[in-house]
Amino acid sequence: MAKWGEGDPRWIVEERADATNVNNWHWTERDATNWSSEKLKELLMGLCVESEEGKCEVTEVSKVEGEASINNRKGKLIFFYEWNLKAAWTGTSKSGIKYKGNIEVPNLSDENDMDDLDISVSLCKDEPETALLSLMRKEGADKIRTALASYVGFLKTEFTQGMILPTANGVTKQQTAQATTKTSKTQIGSCSAAPPPSNTGVKIPTCKFSLKDTFLTSPEELYRVFLNQELVQAFTRSGAMVEAEKGGKFRLLDGNVNGEFQELVPEQKIVMKWRFNSWPCEHYATVTLTFIDKGNETELKIECRAVPESEEERTRDGWQRYYCHAIKQTFGYGARLC
């Protein structure tokens, strides 16, 4: 039994391996409990929502009870986590009256989808009724769900750094991911280190297509998912760099996708230059995301133009799998695909 990271309680690691475990191929276990406890508190504390009725904020995380661990079995990472959470919130009405309440999340677990998460929001005993309770039960619960989904994403990306994932050629997946992350900042807006198909000046046949999908969340929250770097890392389960401004660059899926934001209209529209890393150098598609408020859900319209004809199926599948499906699975916004 060996201890890693002594001196920092967040990084106490217990590693187990059998005598024949060459390069940790058969079994490695990392205890993520202490790290998870700190990360959950960090993500929940200070979380706030606001409306014309007033403002509500999470002011204390009073209970983080449970455990988390990661197993590396024959090169495959398996995640286990189970948490019972309690927190306190304070609401302030527009007239300055303060209210106090509680939040309980008893079933944050790898066995439950995010849309199955029980988030109970209540007022403290003897507190008078207030419209702020409805605000916390809807928008507040949505933000809590998003924060907890981010925890799962960080568990699968940030905490797994350093875990050995052997591959057939002896180079670990983790080493490959780290190398990509280290070089990504210098490669934004240029060709990748692995040369893509050369651009000989011949016009590339292109096409356009559109998709529609429905998400059980507000336009505000869905818009934020595409622009917040931590949320992007959560739903892509990989390193990402996102500069959320007009002219800002982005790079995600460990460098396989990159581009630049051309237009940002909060809660309504995102226009971007977008490309797969394997496309001819400097060839970008134009992708427009339109967020349409449908009451209790948001319709997302995706329009892709100037996509290389030979890449249409791959690009369409990529947006459905690595954006739409991944966002629903990570944040619990599941709905039907149109």
Side-chain angles (χ1 to χ4, degrees), residues 257-274:
V257 168
N258 63 74
E260 178 181 315
F261 295 113
Q262 295 183 305
E263 183 181 357
L264 298 175
V265 182
E267 305 174 30
Q268 296 180 33
K269 183 167 68 173
I270 297 174
V271 181
M272 66 186 95
K273 290 169 56 180
W274 186 98

Side-chain angles (χ1 to χ4, degrees), residues 123-147:
L123 284 167
C124 290
K125 187 178 180 181
D126 297 330
E127 287 283 353
E129 287 297 318
T130 171
L132 294 177
L133 179 59
S134 296
L135 175 64
M136 272 301 290
R137 282 178 171 171
K138 188 176 185 300
E139 283 82 357
D142 286 345
K143 282 208 169 184
I144 291 168
R145 195 183 306 275
T146 298

Side-chain angles (χ1 to χ4, degrees), residues 39-321:
K39 179 59 73 172
L40 286 165
K41 290 177 183 177
E42 174 190 323
L43 291 169
L44 292 173
M45 274 296 294
L47 186 151
C48 64
V49 290
E50 193 168 0
S51 73
E52 60 183 14
E53 302 293 341
K55 180 179 179 181
C56 300
E57 180 178 356
V58 176
T59 52
E60 180 187 6
V61 181
S62 56
K63 179 180 180 180
V64 182
E65 184 179 86
E67 60 183 351
S69 63
I70 305 171
N71 290 330
N72 176 0
R73 297 179 182 176
K74 296 184 178 181
K76 181 180 179 181
L77 292 182
I78 303 174
F79 299 86
F80 300 96
Y81 55 91
E82 186 171 3
W83 295 99
N84 183 352
L85 309 173
K86 290 186 179 181
W89 63 275
T90 298
T92 306
S93 69
K94 288 296 184 180
S95 60
I97 301 175
K98 291 188 178 296
Y99 301 86
K100 293 184 178 181
N102 298 306
I103 302 164
E104 291 190 36
V105 185
N107 64 335
L108 176 60
S109 167
D110 58 273
E111 296 182 352
N112 297 323
D113 292 333
M114 278 296 154
D115 53 358
D116 295 328
L117 208 59
D118 293 329
I119 301 176
S120 174
V121 179
S122 61
L123 284 167
C124 290
K125 187 178 180 181
D126 297 330
E127 287 283 353
E129 287 297 318
T130 171
L132 294 177
L133 179 59
S134 296
L135 175 64
M136 272 301 290
R137 282 178 171 171
K138 188 176 185 300
E139 283 82 357
D142 286 345
K143 282 208 169 184
I144 291 168
R145 195 183 306 275
T146 298
L148 296 179
S150 295
Y151 154 71
V152 176
F154 286 129
L155 180 65
K156 294 181 178 181
T157 55
E158 182 179 302
F159 188 77
T160 55
Q161 291 181 13
M163 292 198 77
I164 299 173
L165 300 177
T167 59
N169 62 7
V171 178
T172 69
K173 294 179 183 177
Q174 185 62 40
Q175 289 170 340
T176 303
Q178 289 173 343
T180 303
T181 302
K182 288 178 181 177
T183 58
S184 64
K185 290 185 179 179
T186 61
Q187 293 174 359
I188 295 297
S190 64
C191 298
S192 66
S198 61
N199 188 347
T200 61
V202 178
K203 186 175 180 181
I204 302 171
T206 63
C207 65
K208 63 181 180 179
F209 65 85
S210 63
L211 300 167
K212 285 184 181 180
D213 207 345
T214 305
F215 297 79
L216 298 178
T217 188
S218 65
E220 177 187 6
E221 287 300 314
L222 187 59
Y223 178 87
R224 182 168 172 261
V225 165
F226 284 93
L227 296 178
N228 182 287
Q229 181 168 300
E230 293 183 352
L231 298 183
V232 171
Q233 290 182 143
F235 79 75
T236 61
R237 308 287 196 268
S238 61
M241 189 281 287
V242 180
E243 299 173 347
E245 60 185 10
K246 183 177 180 180
K249 305 291 196 300
F250 60 85
R251 191 177 189 88
L252 53 148
L253 293 169
D254 287 328
N256 287 309
V257 168
N258 63 74
E260 178 181 315
F261 295 113
Q262 295 183 305
E263 183 181 357
L264 298 175
V265 182
E267 305 174 30
Q268 296 180 33
K269 183 167 68 173
I270 297 174
V271 181
M272 66 186 95
K273 290 169 56 180
W274 186 98
R275 71 188 302 273
F276 274 124
N277 196 39
S278 58
W279 288 2
C281 190
E282 298 304 323
H283 180 83
Y284 289 84
T286 298
V287 177
T288 301
L289 307 180
T290 305
F291 304 82
I292 304 168
D293 191 348
K294 295 289 186 177
N296 293 327
E297 57 189 26
T298 298
E299 181 181 281
L300 176 65
K301 184 176 181 181
I302 305 166
E303 296 178 293
C304 299
R305 298 176 179 272
V307 175
E309 279 188 355
S310 60
E311 293 286 299
E312 179 181 359
E313 183 177 351
R314 179 187 176 213
T315 305
R316 183 190 294 270
D317 180 64
W319 272 94
Q320 290 175 332
R321 291 178 57 193

